[in-house]
Every structure is written in C-alpha cells, then in structure tokens.
C-alpha cells in the first residue's frame, strides 16, 4: 500500500473518532452576582474528528445560549489566552486582532483531528474580540468509534448560561435616577438649559449612524496602514528586539489607531489615502463619517458632566475647548473628573472617539503639560499646531500612558482529572474584566486599572 493511501486511510479513521470536549468559561463580562451563583460554567460537547472548528464554534455558540455572532478564533498549544507560542486558527476573513503572527489555519477548513489533540491538554477559544469571552477547552476523552445520533452534540451542562451582554448595577438604576434629580435641582441654570431631551435623542441617533459608518471603513484602513505598524510601534515604545510587544491585546487598538492617523506617506495618512482612492457617494453617512475622520484630533479630555445613556460633556484640556462626547458606555459608567487620552471625530454638535482610548494619570498629564510649557506653547498655539506636530504630541502622551499602565494576564487552569473544570471566580472582590472600572473612569476594568 502506498504511503498516500496509508495516510488517506489513517485520516479517514481519525475522522470517525469522537472527541469529548469540556468547554469551560474562563473569563468574560460576567457580573459578580452571576459569578457567585455559578462558580463553574461549562458545557461538554462531543464532536467527530472529521468535523471542522467552525462546527465546534457553532456548537459552543448554541450551548451557551448566545444570540449575536462575533469574530472568534481557537488557540492550540499555549499556556493561556494570547500565548505567542500557541497555534491560532482564525476566520477566513483576513482579519487579525493580535500581533500579526501568521495563523496556523482557518476554522472552516481545519478539522478537530488535524489539531493533534491529546487527553488532558487544554486549548483555548476566544469569542468576541470586543467583550473577550475566554474559554478553556479540556480534552476529556477520545473515543475510537462514533455512536448513534448527530454530532456535534451537548452531553452535559454545569451552571447557567450568562447573558451575552451583562447589565451592570441594574438594581441601582432607580437610586441613580433619584440622585440625578437631586443633582439637577442644585445644578446651575446655565448647564440645565444647554440641551433638551430631544437634542440628546437626535444626537444619540446620529451617533449610532456615524459609529456604524466609521466601523465599515476599519478593514480597508487597516490594510492601508499595514506596513506602518513597525514605525507606529517604535514611536509608541512597543518595538522590542525586532517585534511588536504589547502588555495586553487591547493595546493593539491604540497601536492601530496611531498607525492609521499619524503615520503618513507623501504627507497623507491612511484615512486621506483611502478618501482619495475610494471617495464615498455624496450625501451618504459614509461621506460624513469619512470627512470627520479626516478632521480627527487627538487630546486629553476631562469629563465635566455625565448625561446618562448618551455621553459626557468634556473639556479638551490641551486646547481649552468644550465638547459633548457621544458615547453610550461612558454615559452609563463615567464620573465627573475622569481624564482620558483619545482621538475624536468632530461632527456638527458632538464628537465621538475612534474607540482607542487610555486613562491618563495626573502625574502623566503634568509631565506632558510641563514639556509643552517649556517649549512656550499656549492653548492658542496648540489649537493651531500642524498635524505632524500633533502626531509627536500624541506619541509622547500615549507612550507615557502605556508605560504608566500595568497588565493583567489570565492562564488556563490546571485541572486534576478529566472531569474537573476551572471556576470563574471564588473571590467576591474580583472585578470582572469587562465591568466598569471601580475607579470611575468610565472604561472597562480590563482597559483601565485591570491592565
């Protein structure tokens, strides 16, 4: 028998094997109350060796009762999420949320058998690159022949399925509304009369339209600035010994945002080059969003007022200007006095961020302000600063913020015996990574004090 026939027969035999996988929820946007009631959340799934990773994803998606699809990937051979030594299996879209390492394969063509799984060796599954649902998958057993029925199938469940989108502190909403009424009575008339409810409703509708339009441009912009990543990483202090080094995957958003807006070729950044080659149709949301992206500006913002569920009033500290920043999440979780560095897109009566922001500590801001003052720069000077000069300011500020931040890592847990599963948390003081940060910054904990 030829080696090719032997290989084909072995592959066919492997495709008939059934893998029993314990999919354990390791981390995600889970409230403390849910974690207390469900210290362990897992689903046992049986799947044929000849079925693909995309089929396993579908089984996990249904088993955990999720409603909205998001991007995902599997990581095999690492010790924890985002382990650089792990083999990554991704969607066939060309999108790469990590450090640019070439994926080992795509989920629609990679079978379970091809992974070389062994009993007792876990691998990872990452769902939703925004909310970061991390799963540890334990290989509980490998059966030599399939049983009756359809595969994949769920054979065991532990714990409830957490809601895909957690509602934080919902029980306190009524108290918050009472507090807001009290605050409103003592607030100066000048602030009360700036905008009415119908103004905020209009802004919120427009914000959602512009957010959707700008997101559609992300992929072409990322491709345009692909060869600028090294330069951006060097500017931000992320380039170490010939490679990009990040404390956390979230920092990739800051890196990409800088590469898109501050790395230029022939005097044009990625947004301007995209606009020149692919001008949007006149009168469309795409045209409005792209025009705002061409006028995007970077600064440090101080929250001066929170408009619940809509956004925040901010002061551009470096330019000494007032803005209303539309952002649903900030409108729910931010508090007055918080400072953050971000790039903003200007519209007629509001601004919105590009989504890549960092909290700014007082000493970091003081250092930047001292540096600017030593150069004799005033607020007026900063308002009229060239784009190239502003890119240098942005790089210095982002580099300082990144250096000031810490890092939080999670790892796959050692599990004694094939039936064991890791727990979500037994520490009542633990803050879920996607919960609002306790410091009041308005950012998720993982992007603030949990870094």
């Amino acid at each position: 028998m030829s080696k090719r026939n032997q290989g084909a027969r072995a592959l066919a035999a492997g495709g008939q094997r059934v893998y029993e996988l314990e999919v354990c929820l390791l981390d995600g946007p889970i409230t403390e109350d849910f974690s207390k009631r469900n210290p362990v959340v897992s689903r046992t799934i049986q799947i044929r060796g000849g079925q693909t990773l995309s089929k396993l994803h579908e089984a996990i998606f249904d088993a955990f009762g999720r409603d909205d699809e998001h991007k995902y990937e599997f990581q095999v051979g690492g010790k924890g999420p985002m382990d650089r030594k792990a083999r990554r299996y991704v969607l066939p879209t060309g999108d790469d949320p990590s450090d640019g390492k070439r994926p080992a394969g795509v989920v629609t063509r990679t079978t379970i058998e091809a992974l070389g799984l062994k009993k007792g060796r876990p691998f990872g599954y990452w769902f939703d690159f925004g909310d970061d649902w991390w799963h540890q998958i334990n290989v509980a057993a490998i059966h030599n022949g399939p049983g009756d029925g359809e595969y994949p199938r769920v054979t065991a469940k532990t714990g409830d399925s957490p809601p895909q989108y957690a509602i934080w502190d919902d029980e306190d909403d009524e108290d918050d509304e009472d507090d807001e009424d009290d605050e409103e009575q003592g607030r100066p008339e000048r602030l009360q009369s700036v905008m009415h409810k119908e103004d905020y409703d209009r802004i919120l509708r427009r914000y959602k339209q512009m957010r959707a339009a700008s997101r559609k441009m992300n992929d072409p912009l990322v491709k345009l600035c692909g060869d600028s990543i090294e330069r951006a990483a060097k500017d931000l202090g992320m380039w170490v010994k010939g490679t990009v080094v990040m404390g956390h995957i979230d920092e990739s958003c800051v890196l990409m945002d800088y590469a898109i807006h501050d790395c230029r070729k022939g005097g044009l950044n990625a947004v301007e080059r995209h606009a020149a080659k692919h001008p949007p149709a006149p009168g469309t949301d795409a045209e409005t969003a792209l025009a705002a992206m061409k006028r995007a500006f970077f600064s440090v913002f101080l929250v001066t007022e929170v408009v619940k569920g809509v956004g925040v009033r901010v002061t551009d500290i470096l330019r000494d200007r007032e803005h209303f920043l539309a952002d649903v999440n900030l409108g729910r979780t931010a508090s007055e006095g918080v400072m953050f560095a971000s790039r903003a897109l200007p519209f007629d009566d509001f601004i919105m961020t590009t989504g890549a922001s960092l909290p700014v500590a007082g000493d970091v801001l003081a250092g930047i302000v001292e540096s600017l003052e030593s150069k004799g720069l005033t607020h007026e000077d900063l308002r009229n600063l060239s784009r190239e000069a502003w890119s240098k300011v942005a790089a210095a500020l982002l580099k300082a913020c990144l250096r000031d931040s810490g890092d939080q890592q999670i790892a796959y847990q050692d599990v004694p015996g094939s039936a064991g599963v890791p727990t979500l948390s037994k520490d009542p003081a633990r803050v879920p990574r996607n919960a609002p940060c306790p410091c009041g910054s308005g950012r998720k904990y993982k992007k603030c004090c949990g870094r």
Side-chain angles (χ1 to χ4, degrees):
M1 182 183 296
S2 69
K3 290 184 178 180
R4 177 178 296 179
N5 288 338
Q6 289 176 344
R9 182 166 294 183
L11 182 60
Q16 293 301 310
R17 289 197 286 189
V18 171
Y19 288 74
E20 188 169 320
L21 307 175
E22 294 172 334
V23 185
C24 313
L25 190 56
L26 191 62
D27 197 40
I30 298 169
T31 63
E32 180 181 321
D33 180 62
F34 181 91
S35 180
K36 287 180 179 179
R37 290 184 288 105
N38 300 272
V40 174
V41 178
S42 69
R43 304 290 183 264
T44 301
I45 295 174
Q46 291 184 343
I47 186 169
R48 295 180 190 270
Q51 293 180 301
T52 63
L53 283 171
S54 61
K55 286 294 183 182
L56 177 57
H57 157 72
E58 292 172 7
I60 296 173
F61 186 89
D62 292 338
F64 282 91
R66 288 164 183 160
D67 299 312
D68 294 337
E69 277 284 4
H70 288 277
K71 295 175 183 178
Y72 65 91
E73 71 175 44
F74 289 88
Q75 300 174 357
V76 181
K79 295 182 179 180
M82 301 314 299
D83 189 327
R84 294 173 63 84
K85 296 181 180 179
R87 306 191 311 274
R88 299 173 47 248
Y89 296 88
V90 303
L91 287 165
T93 59
D95 296 331
D96 187 359
S98 69
D99 58 7
K101 181 181 177 182
R102 186 180 180 86
V106 296
V107 295
T108 53
R109 294 196 295 269
T110 304
T111 64
I112 304 300
E113 185 67 27
L115 299 178
L117 301 177
K118 294 184 179 180
K119 183 178 178 180
R121 293 187 181 179
F123 62 104
Y125 167 66
W126 179 21
F127 174 73
D128 189 345
F129 299 157
D131 276 344
D132 295 342
W133 291 94
W134 290 107
H135 307 72
Q136 173 175 326
I137 304 179
N138 301 320
V139 182
I142 303 176
H143 305 289
N144 288 326
D148 297 330
E150 295 183 358
Y151 294 90
R153 61 190 184 190
V154 177
T155 60
K157 295 183 179 181
T158 301
D160 297 332
S161 293
Q164 188 168 350
Y165 304 107
I167 299 176
W168 307 103
D169 298 326
D170 188 57
E171 65 275 9
D172 296 331
D173 281 353
E174 187 173 324
D175 292 338
D176 291 343
E177 291 174 2
D178 292 340
D179 292 342
E180 285 185 353
D181 291 339
D182 294 339
E183 292 172 5
E184 193 71 33
Q185 293 175 11
R187 190 172 292 160
E189 183 64 24
R190 179 178 60 84
L191 289 179
Q192 293 183 38
S193 61
V194 171
M195 285 188 183
H196 301 288
K197 184 179 184 301
E198 55 268 24
D199 297 315
Y200 289 127
D201 290 342
R202 174 178 47 78
I203 287 176
L204 187 57
R205 287 194 300 270
R206 194 59 177 153
Y207 158 76
K208 291 179 179 178
Q209 292 170 339
M210 292 300 100
R211 180 64 75 194
S214 62
R215 281 175 176 167
K216 289 180 180 179
M217 290 181 235
N218 283 348
D219 287 348
L221 290 175
V222 167
K223 291 177 181 178
L224 268 179
C225 70
D227 55 356
S228 300
I229 297 299
E230 178 178 338
R231 175 186 162 189
K234 289 178 178 178
D235 287 352
L236 301 183
M238 294 181 174
W239 189 258
V240 180
K241 295 182 179 179
T243 188
V244 178
V245 176
M246 294 180 287
H248 193 277
I249 185 63
D250 297 319
E251 293 178 9
S252 64
C253 298
V254 175
L255 175 65
M256 192 59 66
D257 183 79
Y258 182 87
I260 289 172
H261 293 274
D262 293 305
C263 294
R264 297 177 176 83
K265 291 183 179 179
L268 301 178
N269 64 18
V271 174
E272 292 160 333
R273 299 199 304 274
H274 175 74
K277 290 184 178 180
H278 307 284
T284 61
D285 285 348
E287 181 188 43
T288 304
L290 189 58
M293 294 173 81
K294 290 168 67 176
R295 301 194 309 273
F297 63 97
F298 186 89
S299 194
V300 177
F301 298 97
L302 170 69
V303 176
T304 59
E305 181 184 357
V306 178
V307 179
K308 189 172 183 180
V310 183
V312 292
R313 291 189 182 280
V314 295
T315 296
D316 178 340
I317 294 177
L318 300 183
R319 293 177 181 82
D320 193 26
R321 284 181 171 170
E322 304 276 331
H323 299 280
F324 182 80
L325 192 158
D327 190 298
V328 174
N329 185 53
L330 279 175
R332 180 175 179 83
T333 62
S335 58
E336 295 180 10
V338 167
M339 290 188 299
F340 60 94
S342 188
R343 196 178 309 277
L345 309 184
F347 297 95
D348 289 341
D349 45 9
F350 69 93
I351 63 173
M352 73 180 192
T353 71
T354 57
S357 304
L358 288 174
V360 178
D363 57 340
V364 171
L365 178 63
I368 293 294
V369 171
E370 182 179 350
S371 175
L372 295 173
E373 289 179 343
S374 69
K375 296 178 174 62
L377 295 173
T378 65
H379 291 304
E380 184 64 27
D381 295 329
L382 291 172
R383 293 187 197 116
N384 299 312
L385 212 58
S386 69
R387 295 182 309 164
E388 290 75 15
W390 260 113
S391 292
K392 293 181 180 179
V393 174
L397 210 157
L398 287 171
K399 190 173 181 179
C401 290
L402 290 167
R403 188 169 54 244
D404 184 65
S405 67
D407 180 41
Q408 171 174 299
Q409 298 288 342
I410 55 177
Y412 301 140
Q413 301 178 27
D414 293 329
V415 181
S418 61
V421 293
T423 59
L424 284 174
S425 173
K426 291 184 179 179
D427 181 5
R430 175 185 182 273
V431 180
R433 294 177 65 247
N434 285 277
C437 189
C439 75
S441 67
R443 296 172 56 79
K444 291 183 180 181
Y445 175 66
K446 68 179 181 183
K447 294 183 178 180
C448 189
C449 298
R451 293 178 69 87

